[in-house]
Amino acid sequence: MDVTRRRLLNALSCAGVPPALRGRSAPGHGDDDAPCARLLANLAGLLAGTAASNRRPETREPLRLLARRARADLAAMDRATGRELFAGLPLGDSEALLEESYRRLYGIALATGVPGGAAPGPSGDAAVRRRVLRGLVRLYEEHYGDRAPANHGNWFPWEIGIPRHAGRTLALLAPEAAALYPGLTAAYTAAMDRRLVHGADGDVDLDSRFHTAANLADITTNRMVQGALLRDPARIRKAVADQLTVLAPLDPYAPRHGVTDGFHRDGSFVQHGCVASTGSYGTALLTRVVEALSLLDGTGLGPGPEAVEAVAGWVRDGFAPLVFEGWMTETVKGRALTRPQDGYADTRAVCEAVLGLSALTTGARAGELRAYARHLGAACRVDGDPAAFVSPLSFARYADLLDDPAVRAADLAPRRGSFAFNAMDRTVHRRPGYAFVVARSSTRTSKYEYLNGENLMPWFQGDGAHRLYLSGEDQGPGHDLGHYATVSPYGLPGVSAPVERRRTVPELYGGALYYDDPSHPLAFTASSASQNAYVYFPRGTADWSGGTVLGAYGTAGMVQSDDAAFRDRALLPPGFTVYRDATATKSWFLFDDEIVVLAADVGDRAGRAVTTTVDARTARPDDRILVTGATRDGRPYEAPGDGADPCDLRWLRYADPTRGTAVGYLFLDAPPVRVRVDLAAGSPRALRLANPDAPVTRRVFTAAFERPAGAPPLRAGWALVPNADEERMRGYGRRGGPLRVLANSARLQAVAHTGLGLLAANCFAPGAHGTAALRLDGPGSVIVGHRPTGAPPGTVRVAVSDPTNGRPAVGVLLPGRWLRPVDGDPRVRVRRVRTGTRLDVDTRRAYGRSFTVTLR
């Protein structure tokens, strides 16, 4: 833009704006003004705080930080040239830079509207606010309005990001906008409607795959703000009605509007139809819905208390089990696991949402939420972090929690529990000293999420990769971005991967972030369904993935499979690259002190070598790592040297005395193990193009089985023993102490824990399979407890599930004497047979959930 034109835009007044911006908004009706004014007042308080909240000492530093950022952005405006509104953000080619320009305008406007805040500009807030409005006018005319170019690139900034920032900015500057540019708000809203290309007639389309879950909550919350600015309650009511569709638990057998995104009855959260995303899109949904409920509070336009109850259920069932000592597990973050934000920061967002939700209810529910917010805040280290929350109100509310002796911190998830999130193929096992999480995949759930240059090397993240979090330590060095930058993507903990080099999407397709071939019958474009299915989040091709829960114990299993792209390779364009996966059948048996892993049929149909990683742990470079153990013939084993050969180990112990943590590995039936301790460096940019290219160094411990090319399939059984000392590892003895592997094949995997009186089995094949104490008819998962806690002698509890999600019934035989039913799920039919007790479990439409019966 030439200088004359630039000066003209900078000097715009009401007389100089485009015609679309000169007309006045339609006057509101008297009854309509009050709820809209209340919504805007709620928004201002949420974003900028109130005079009371901003007098609190806890908000001083966050407000100073806000003012400093605004001053930095104003300085960037001063340095802008040519196509820039802010120096370094050229406009016209990148929707991401355009959205960032809107975000910075919003940040400046916010700093001018903080009651009691520091002024961001030397010329005073009024001049700064006028300058922000001139920036909005310029962006409207050149890049977003009716005469601006059409949408390009990623759809999200056009339909969600820019409307959010622009709408909030207009709300914060409403008096000045009405006086100087009275048509600006109406023009922007009309443009936002036009830019909603995935909607219907400028509004939400509940049948669109783009208008689901978190995306739907974003769009509808934006439209509530727009309705308040236009004094249009009908627009608000329509947005509220659309948003309320995300509150009901999803029924995968009868989806409304074809939508399977959102929270399922088992607490799973799914986005894009198949991505486990509680810690990313799920957090965004929680945040936005709580924001919307807060905006609607007192307006008379919002839903009833049942909405708060539904969201509180998300927190209890969907989030709490996934947060361990303040850290959100990476296994439910999709592509976001490669962003610099760590698990504590993810949890702070949940904590802030819980604080906001607690303010919207009363009584026992409010007390429960406040106690959980206090628990989260302490665990994720909110204190002293000026960027911990978004709203000044949250800092004040959290300070009130700390000052209230009646509010005692309390987790919503039990310290001892096993959780089967079968709708998103995740399993969580919690004990006071640790949490174990395993990520599975199937025909229902994607192997990973890659998108927009994020999570560039994701290939095996859903192939049984696990995370083991130990109590009492800073989780960052062992689980943050540095972990993924220094651990090989082929050697993730728990994964069996072929030995080969795969290329990232940009490497495969000449730097492009996706495969582009719109002329092909599958129409590969940036946002096409085929791109989703084969590039962004490909599903597995095996049905068997799931597990069973019996009280605080659990089992999980999966059949590792090729992804959908390899299966459909004959249908794909010649230039599309596919990769074949290794084969494996795996089970995890989740007890108190041990996690037993069985792996069978670990191999490769193409004859490649395959590596199965027992564990990979990272620590700070200066941490002192000790590795000890014993071989099967009783000789002591010490830390391996460079190039050490695999060793026939009975047990191994990894310890980090610097952090006071340890993990034991008991090899029940396993080939020789290669153990390494290396100092590794990697770049976060190799994982995500937007990350800094600054090297990260970690000390990396790896234990793995290596199957040579062309060798027969591998079979192995081992146990992870969190927080184990050497005495405990030696105590398992040669036979494995209380652990017994009863079967380990691609048909049946079964383990007994004699100390706990538990027998657990996963059956993967048709026909009858079993052990002396248990038989299953076809695919299924079962746990039998012979000594349930608190039960009379002779009591047996049994839990059964169908991990294929496709069987009408699962049959289980308990050989021996007749056991009569005492209590249980009505779907479990118990009958006496000649050889023992027969259970027939109706698993139709159960989506993998467990059914339990008590026998005596």
Side-chain angles (χ1 to χ4, degrees):
M1 184 178 62
D2 62 79
V3 174
T4 302
R5 179 78 172 150
R6 180 179 178 82
R7 286 176 178 168
L8 176 62
L9 281 171
N10 284 342
L12 278 176
S13 63
C14 183
V17 298
L21 309 188
R22 289 203 294 262
R24 293 190 172 276
S25 302
H29 303 290
D31 292 342
D32 294 343
D33 287 349
C36 294
R38 176 62 184 266
L39 191 151
L40 292 177
N42 288 345
L43 177 65
L46 191 67
L47 300 178
T50 63
S53 71
N54 296 350
R55 284 194 297 268
R56 301 287 297 260
E58 296 82 8
T59 62
R60 288 173 189 162
E61 191 53 36
L63 295 181
R64 287 177 186 145
L65 178 61
L66 176 65
R68 284 197 298 271
R69 289 173 177 166
R71 285 192 288 270
D73 288 336
L74 283 168
M77 290 185 79
D78 293 336
R79 299 192 306 272
T81 60
R83 294 191 304 158
E84 299 173 337
L85 183 59
F86 295 90
L89 300 179
L91 300 172
D93 301 316
S94 167
E95 71 280 357
L97 296 184
L98 178 60
E99 181 184 3
E100 175 62 13
S101 297
Y102 274 103
R103 189 199 65 77
R104 293 192 185 188
L105 285 179
Y106 160 69
I108 297 170
L110 177 60
T112 69
V114 173
S123 58
D125 286 352
V128 172
R129 290 159 78 87
R130 289 193 296 271
R131 191 174 182 184
V132 170
L133 283 171
R134 289 196 295 271
L136 281 181
V137 170
R138 177 183 169 186
L139 294 181
Y140 173 88
E141 185 178 45
E142 296 180 8
H143 301 284
Y144 199 78
D146 54 351
R147 290 178 292 178
N151 295 13
H152 54 81
N154 184 2
W155 68 274
F156 184 95
W158 300 102
E159 299 197 24
I160 293 177
I162 292 171
R164 178 190 303 159
H165 303 315
R168 289 178 170 188
T169 305
L170 289 167
L172 292 169
L173 305 183
E176 291 86 350
L180 297 173
Y181 312 110
L184 184 61
T185 296
Y188 252 109
T189 303
M192 292 169 188
D193 290 348
R194 286 192 298 273
R195 296 284 182 177
L196 206 64
V197 297
H198 294 108
D201 300 321
D203 200 349
V204 165
D205 181 4
L206 294 177
D207 293 316
S208 168
R209 64 184 173 89
F210 297 91
H211 291 190
T212 63
N215 292 334
L216 177 61
D218 277 327
I219 293 169
T220 50
T221 302
N222 289 345
R223 293 179 72 82
M224 292 176 201
V225 174
Q226 297 157 14
L229 286 168
L230 297 176
R231 289 175 289 177
D232 183 358
R235 187 182 183 96
I236 299 173
R237 290 190 185 96
K238 173 62 164 54
V240 171
D242 289 338
Q243 188 173 111
L244 287 177
T245 63
V246 307
L247 296 183
L250 289 169
D251 181 354
Y253 300 102
R256 293 192 297 169
H257 302 284
V259 172
T260 55
D261 289 352
F263 281 96
H264 290 249
R265 294 189 184 279
D266 66 0
S268 298
F269 177 83
V270 174
Q271 188 77 23
H272 303 310
C274 60
V275 178
S277 198
T278 313
S280 178
Y281 282 100
T283 303
L285 174 62
L286 174 67
T287 299
R288 205 63 64 227
V289 169
V290 172
E291 176 187 317
L293 294 175
S294 300
L295 298 184
L296 296 166
D297 188 35
T299 64
L301 302 175
E306 64 277 2
V308 173
E309 284 298 300
V311 180
W314 297 350
V315 174
R316 181 189 63 247
D317 301 328
F319 285 93
L322 299 172
V323 177
F324 179 71
E325 297 188 353
W327 186 272
M328 173 70 72
T329 176
E330 290 73 28
T331 63
V332 293
K333 292 173 62 174
R335 69 185 191 271
L337 68 83
T338 58
R339 295 174 186 171
Q341 176 170 299
D342 68 17
Y344 294 125
D346 296 323
T347 300
R348 289 172 191 143
V350 176
C351 180
E352 182 165 20
V354 174
L355 283 169
L357 194 63
S358 71
L360 296 171
T361 188
T362 58
R365 179 67 69 221
E368 178 184 77
L369 292 169
R370 283 163 60 82
Y372 186 53
R374 183 163 186 169
H375 164 78
L376 289 182
C380 69
R381 308 168 189 183
V382 163
D383 294 345
D385 184 352
F389 297 139
V390 174
S391 172
L393 289 181
S394 300
F395 287 96
R397 286 168 177 160
Y398 185 69
D400 287 339
L401 290 186
L402 300 183
D403 292 340
D404 188 347
V407 179
R408 302 185 64 181
D411 198 347
L412 286 177
R415 300 182 73 195
R416 294 181 71 257
S418 217
F419 305 87
F421 293 101
N422 289 319
M424 62 178 182
D425 277 341
R426 297 296 185 268
T427 299
V428 177
H429 189 64
R430 291 165 57 109
R431 288 299 184 266
Y434 70 90
F436 177 82
V437 188
V438 63
R440 302 176 272 108
S441 56
S442 65
T443 53
R444 303 172 295 277
T445 303
S446 64
K447 286 177 170 276
Y448 54 80
E449 181 190 25
Y450 158 80
L451 192 63
N452 295 334
E454 295 188 297
N455 203 19
L456 291 166
M457 295 186 284
W459 309 293
F460 307 104
Q461 291 167 1
D463 280 348
H466 75 247
R467 307 302 307 143
L468 175 58
Y469 305 93
L470 301 179
S471 183
E473 67 172 341
D474 178 358
Q475 303 296 339
H479 304 281
D480 64 5
L481 183 59
H483 173 90
Y484 290 94
T486 53
V487 171
S488 166
Y490 312 94
L492 298 178
V495 162
S496 296
V499 178
E500 66 178 2
R501 184 193 179 277
R502 298 189 177 189
R503 291 185 290 166
T504 68
V505 168
E507 288 172 336
L508 288 170
Y509 306 123
L513 301 184
Y514 53 90
Y515 181 79
D516 189 31
D517 188 354
S519 64
H520 189 271
L522 291 174
F524 281 92
T525 62
S527 298
S528 64
S530 55
Q531 200 79 232
N532 291 354
Y534 298 120
V535 179
Y536 293 156
F537 13 87
R539 305 182 194 215
T541 51
D543 289 332
W544 211 114
S545 179
T548 303
V549 173
L550 178 64
Y553 302 99
T555 182
M558 67 173 290
V559 175
Q560 187 166 312
S561 63
D562 293 316
D563 68 10
F566 187 84
R567 179 198 61 198
D568 297 343
R569 58 194 181 279
L571 306 175
L572 296 170
F576 192 100
T577 299
V578 298
Y579 291 106
R580 164 172 265 169
D581 208 341
T583 62
T585 299
K586 291 185 180 177
S587 293
W588 296 264
F589 301 95
L590 311 170
F591 302 121
D592 286 326
D593 299 317
E594 306 94 358
I595 297 116
V596 177
V597 187
L598 299 185
D601 192 30
V602 180
D604 183 68
R605 296 186 183 94
R608 297 167 295 181
V610 175
T611 298
T612 297
T613 303
V614 172
D615 205 1
R617 302 194 68 80
T618 54
R620 296 184 180 94
D622 54 352
D623 280 6
R624 188 166 65 98
I625 304 301
L626 298 178
V627 177
T628 56
T631 63
R632 291 201 181 275
D633 58 11
R635 291 180 292 111
Y637 175 84
E638 296 183 354
D642 293 339
D645 291 332
C647 188
D648 193 17
L649 294 173
R650 181 160 56 86
W651 61 268
L652 183 72
R653 181 175 180 267
Y654 161 92
D656 182 350
T658 309
R659 293 196 282 169
T661 57
V663 183
Y665 305 93
L666 178 66
F667 299 102
L668 301 167
D669 177 19
V673 188
R674 184 181 293 280
V675 181
R676 296 179 60 95
V677 179
D678 301 306
L679 195 63
S683 171
R685 186 168 293 175
L687 305 173
R688 177 175 179 262
L689 296 178
N691 283 342
D693 194 19
V696 176
T697 304
R698 291 283 191 272
R699 195 167 293 280
V700 180
F701 158 83
T702 306
F705 307 122
E706 297 175 341
R707 174 196 172 275
L714 175 145
R715 183 180 66 184
W718 66 95
L720 284 73
V721 187
N723 305 307
D725 56 25
E726 289 193 20
E727 182 180 357
R728 180 173 187 84
M729 296 309 300
R730 285 192 294 266
Y732 283 101
R734 293 182 180 276
R735 291 180 50 110
L739 302 174
R740 298 285 184 271
V741 176
L742 305 179
N744 185 13
S745 71
R747 299 180 300 278
L748 178 71
Q749 294 176 330
V751 168
H753 194 300
T754 58
L756 298 173
L758 292 172
L759 169 64
N762 290 327
C763 183
F764 300 92
H769 304 278
T771 69
L774 175 72
R775 294 190 70 81
L776 286 93
D777 290 345
S781 178
V782 61
I783 304 176
V784 181
H786 290 281
R787 295 197 302 273
T789 302
T795 300
V796 177
R797 294 191 69 211
V798 184
V800 182
S801 72
D802 166 30
T804 72
N805 288 4
R807 301 193 67 195
V810 173
V812 177
L813 174 67
L814 303 179
R817 69 186 187 280
W818 159 242
L819 299 171
R820 61 182 178 84
V822 175
D823 189 21
D825 193 287
R827 287 209 192 190
V828 182
R829 178 189 175 204
V830 182
R831 56 193 174 95
R832 187 172 187 170
V833 296
R834 180 176 56 83
T835 53
T837 305
R838 168 84 182 191
L839 310 180
D840 292 294
V841 184
D842 179 359
T843 53
R844 289 172 298 178
R845 292 181 168 242
Y847 220 64
R849 81 176 177 92
S850 300
F851 298 93
T852 304
V853 64
T854 301
L855 310 168
R856 192 173 301 138

